[in-house]
Every structure is written in C-alpha cells, then in structure tokens.
Amino acid sequence: MSQDPDTAVRYDVHGDVAVLTIDFPPVNALGAAMKEGMVRRMRQAAEDDAVHAIVVIGDNDRFVAGADIREFGKPPRGPTLLEVQDLLEFSEKPVVCAIDGHALGGGLELALAAPFRVAASRAKLGLPEVNLGLLPGGGGTQRLTRIAGPEVALDLILSGKHIGAAKAKELGLVDEVTDADLLTAAIDFARRKADAGGPWPRAIERTDKVATADSALFEKTRSANAKKWAGTIAPFRIVDCVEAACTRSPQDGLEFEKAAFKECLEAPSRAAQVHLFFAERQAAKVEGLDPAAKPRDIAKVGVIGAGTMGGGIAMSVVNAGIACVLLEVTQDALDAGLEKVRGNYDISIKRGSRSQAQVDAALGLLTSTLDYDDLADCDLVIEAVFENMGVKKEIFGTLDRVTKPDAILASNTSALDIDEIAAATGRPENVIGMHFFSPANVMKLCENVRGTKSSDTTIATVMAFAKRIGKVPVLAGNCEGFIGNRILKIYGQEADLILEQGAAPWDVDRALKGFGFPMGLYLMRDMSGLDVGYRMRQGRIEAGTLDTSSPEYSPLADRIVEAGRHGQKTGAGYYKYEGRDASPDPAVLDMLRDVAAAKQVPQRRFTDEEIVEQILAAMANEGAKILEEGIAQRASDIDVTYVYGYGFPKHEGGPMFWAQRKGLDKLLEIVRANHAKFGDRWKPAALLEARVADGKDWDGKPIAGAG
Ligand code: 3HC
C-alpha cells in the first residue's frame, strides 16, 4: 500500500469543480497517509481560485471503510480525523462527498461532516464500530442523532448494520441518490450548490430532531439490553453519547463522545473484537494452496435431507441468489421440510429482517425432488442427513453416479471421517466436509473439512462458496470432531468433572453465563433433550468404544436420563421445570453426590472464576493439540470457530485469544497443575510447552518482553 499522501488522494479539476479522489487500497481506510493527503488536497482546493466547489470521491467504486483498524493501539500518526472533518465542514466552497461501495465508520463520519452527500444507488452506509467494541468517535453519534433523531441513531449505531442509499436518503443522511455516473452527478450537484450560494448546512448545528427527543428512550434502551450487553462497554457508551447529542451543546457533545471513544478504545473488549475482525478475514485464507487452483463457479446446489439442517442450508443458498434443489426420500419428509422453510421465512418477514419480495425471490430459486437424477446438473451437493456412516456412504455412492464428473460432493457431518465417506466415490478429490451449525440459515460458521484427497480446487471452491452465502469459513483437518466438536467434547467433559468435584450444574451455568456465553451448558443440554446423547453413549458402550471405567467418564448424565429426566420436554433434566422456567433441583445434587462417592472424588468449593478458568484452560490446551496436529491452520481459526459456531463471547475474542491474553506461561502452569492432579486428560500440548519455552505466542512470534 502506498504511504504517499499525494497519491493517496489525487487532485483533478473538472471545469470549476475540484475532484479529490481517495486511492488508498484496499478499502480507502483513514490511514495516516490518506488523512494527510486529504488535508493537502482540501487546502489546494481552497487556494485554487478557479475552483468553486469540491467533490470527494473514492477510487475503485468505494468510498471510505473507516478508521484504519491496523493502527488501533499504536501511537497516532498524521492528522486526526477531526482536522480533516474541519476542512470539509468549514470550507468556504461547498463540499460534496460522492459515495459508492461503502461509507462505514469514520468514512461515513467524514461524509457527515461535509455539507452535502450524493450516493450511488448501490452504496451502503453504516456505523459498524460496535462490532469492534467501539463507538463512532468522529462525531458520528452527534451528527447522526442531529440529522435523523435519537431512535434512528440508536438503531443504526447499536446494530452496526449497513443501510442502502435509498434508506439513507429517507433518513436524511444523503441528499441525492443516483443510478447514473456518480462523479458526473456529484459534480453537477456541487456546481448547483456553488451557483445557489452559501451558507452550507452543518449537521452538527441542527437542533430540530434532538429538541423533541423523548428522554425516557435512553433509560429504556439501557435496561432492555443490560443482560445482552453484559461484559461490554461500547453499547452502553453509545446510548450515553446519543443522549448527550440530545442534551448537550455541539461542542460538549463532541467532547463527550471523544472521551467515551477513548474509554472503549482502551477496554479489553476492543482488543478482542479487533482480533476477531482480522481473524475472520484470515480464516478464509488457505495456506499452501496451488495459486492456479481457482474456485469453481457454483450456479446450482443440491441439498440432501430436508430436516432442520438441510432446510437451513438450502435457505442460506437461495438467500444468496443461487438455485437450490432440496432432496428427500419421502414426500411427507419433503413437505414437512418445505413447510418449516416457509415458516422460517414468515418469521423473518414478521420481524422485518426480510421483505416479501426478497422471500419470494428466494423461494423462486428453491425446487424440491425425491429423485437423485434431478441433481445431475448441480455444481455442488451438500449432504445433510443424520450421522450414520453406512447411510452417508450409500448416498455418496449414488451421488457419484448421478452428478456430473466435476461436481463437488460435501458432507455436513459434524464428526464422521471424511476420508471414509470420500472412499465411497470414485472422485475423492471432489469430496469435502462442509459443517454448518444450527440453525444453518442464521449461524455464521461454516467449518469446511479437508479430506486427505480433497483437491486444492475443491478446497478453494467451498471456502469461496461459504463466503458467498454469507458464512464465515474456517478450514479444518479430518479428525474426530474436527476443530469445533473436538474442543466441545473437552468443554463438556471438564464441566461434568467439575460437577463431580463439588459444583452444582447451576453453579457452572452461572459462571459460564457470567463469562458471556449466551446460555449455560446444562440449560442448553436440557433444552436440546438428554435422551439423544444417552442413546449414542449406550451404543458406544455396547460397541465397546466408550470405557465407563475411565475417570473421564462421568455417569451423571446417564443417571439423570435413567431417572426419566430427559430435559425440559419431560419437566426435568439437570434442572426441574415449570413450563420453560428452570429451577435448581436438590434431587440432582443427591445423584451427583452418589456419583462422586462411587468414584471417590474429593469434594471442594469453586468460585465462578475457577470454573471458567478450568474449562477454558482445558479448551485452550486441546486447541494447542489441534494446532500442533495441523487440524487448524492457525490459533485464530479456533477463535473464529468458537465465536461464530459455539456462542463464545465476542468480547473475549475466543479460547486461544483468552489464553494468550492470560499468558501462555500461566496457561501451562494451570495445565501442569491439573495434569499432576488428574492425569493424562490434562497432558500439556507439546506446542504449548514449546511456545512457553521459546517465549513465543501461538503464531510463533516473540512475545514482547519474553525470553
Ligand atoms: N482498516 C484496515 N484494514 C481494513 C479495514 C479497515 N477499516 N477494512 C477492511 N480492511 C482490510 C481487511 O482486513 C482485508 O485485508 P486483507 O486483504 O489483508 O485480509 C481487506 O481490507 C479487504 O477487506 P474484506 O476482506 O473485508 O473485503 P470486503 O470487500 O469483503 O469488505 C468492507 C469490505 C465492507 C469495507 C469490510 O472490510 C469492512 O466491513 N471493514 C470494516 C469497516 C469498519 O468496521 N469500519 C469502522 C472502523 S472503526 C472507525 O471507523 C472508528 C471511527 O469511528 C473513528
């Protein structure tokens, strides 16, 4: 990326209008060189007597994606955003920001400081800082509130959502929307304004929308969301700032926002969320792929199985505008699946997350069949039937016969061996895992699982395809449980063994929820039903693959089910229920005491912090083994998997980030102490030991001050 301010912002004159073109790849972020370029070019335009108006536009059909996220936490360089904004806001010549692509965060804040904005109809605008643990710190909370009122400001800034140009115009964020050439439209607009003469409007001075603000709105918003926002700062400060826009003078409001931004910037949650921003983008990249292996074009997808998973996957496909054929074995199963899909769409229309026209378009792309031959022209087929190797092998054998030779065949298995599935076909190079998470139309993670023979083209294709249907792809290697469920097993196991040592299920749930998981483990198990897991364990016991004499096997779950407690649906599980209301049940503690006595486990008390530390340390140690074996490409992929697939709190950055922030040396201490106490389930990962010995982080980079 060029660091030259003069090329970062180019200067041309079209008649009497200066055009400042921001050319600062990849996304025109507000890096030091770009801001310096803006200052120089704005001054040049101000001094140029032949210029009567100024247009600011981005190169490559994009405006500005906000502050340069890579510069957070580093000493500030170059002019501040405020200095650039002042030049736009107080310019004697009218300034028009011409918005195409994205105007996000500081990018939109830059534009809101200008008196005028013209947008291409496809442009997207938003203040997504909250996703990085931040708030708009370039006057966004103040100007947006003054332009569109506090309700709109809270909605946009707290959600971080992007809105289209038409909506932005309706809300007063842009003055004109065009389908024609944006630069021409913006120059015409600027010339008209220059001809009409000033003064030019300043959003920060508007009072009409804030004068009538309902003061109860802010307290209502805080109390309605207090639980959801626990552990974070940014959303609370956003409400404070929008309130400040309604109650303070422009200058005071800006000062208030500046202090709140600084507070968020320095909070631990910001570092965790910025880590995730880059981790998510990194996860989509595959190391060592042949650069010639380009993703195949996927025009039609087949989905096998119209159950909850299959239906959700099909919805994700058609939502992205791709044709999909859903296959079931019986008409009844197909009808039930399609009914569920329609029901889900009805809910999204009611919630306002999708319009009727969008739903009609999506359903128009969905066809259904009972006949495998209808998959003949699919470019990708995703199998999503229940977890049975025999059934899956039969399906893949059939798919191999009926689909075109270069079609990619994917399995949504959450744990089965991809190589064994691939061996049922004559094209193992085209076979891969695509593990979606329930509900698949909502959950962002797609854990792609490479088999030994999956080709680079197959891998590149599913990684690109997952992104295209709005998922966050991660690439895993083939082992039992892959990345996600392998660590989940450790998570559940450690929690179960903590119960045996003296904690109650509700203690563990309270601790996990307090840490930021959306729901406790035992409430979640009760909700999904305990009988399915029980039957699976019994199957494994019969097959001799589950050793019930091992210290890692905790019989509590089985005792609970054998007592007729199958979870919420039977009114009792780990908790007892009245309707959906769970309450602690002393009967479970009695069972737990019996289990602990039979296994002779010494009893102790746990604080919430100890519970969380014990569980997360076990997860991170397993994560290190996964890394060491090459099952995950990088530690941050494990974080992405946990945040987007398993509800790990974003503001904690993922289990590997948590461990690194705690200190890998501290993690090793915990792991070693537990190893001495509990034996091999806590065997330290060799990679963890090596990183600590070398004073390095998970990625093998030296830790500052170590060594
Ligand atoms: N700063 C630095 N780098 C950025 C960046 C930013 N604001 N936004 C994107 N990038 C980088 C990405 O890391 C990626 O780098 P890589 O190629 O090395 O992996 C590259 O730009 C392309 O990004 P994407 O892969 O995400 O490209 P897309 O085309 O899919 O999406 C986008 C483009 C919609 C702009 C998306 O990148 C995005 O949402 N960016 C973040 C926007 C944002 O959060 N802005 C607010 C920043 S905070 C702020 O402005 C504070 C202010 O209030 C003071």
Side-chain angles (χ1 to χ4, degrees), residues 135-170:
L135 53 85
T141 61
Q142 306 303 296
R143 290 190 181 87
L144 179 61
T145 308
R146 287 169 177 272
I147 293 172
E151 282 92 353
V152 171
L154 286 176
D155 175 38
L156 287 186
I157 307 174
L158 287 172
S159 68
K161 68 185 170 196
H162 301 176
I163 55 168
K167 181 77 187 168
K169 173 139 195 307
E170 187 190 315

Side-chain angles (χ1 to χ4, degrees), residues 525 528-541 546 553 557-558 561 566 569:
R525 282 193 190 165
S528 358
L530 305 175
D531 43 333
V532 180
Y534 177 79
R535 279 198 302 275
M536 278 168 64
R537 282 191 300 277
Q538 293 307 303
R540 289 180 59 205
I541 292 171
L546 181 65
Y553 168 74
D558 293 342
V561 175
H566 293 192
K569 61 187 171 190

Side-chain angles (χ1 to χ4, degrees), residues 468-488:
R468 198 171 146 210
I469 63 170
K471 303 294 172 200
V472 177
V474 166
L475 187 65
N478 186 23
C479 69
E480 197 185 323
F482 318 131
I483 299 175
N485 282 349
R486 177 163 157 185
I487 297 182
L488 185 69

Side-chain angles (χ1 to χ4, degrees), residues 26-27 65-69 102 105-106 109 128-129 132 136-137 277-278 281 285:
V27 290
D68 190 330
I69 302 170
H102 288 97
E109 293 176 293
E129 285 89 343
L132 300 168
F277 175 82
F278 289 113
R281 279 150 186 84
K285 296 174 186 157

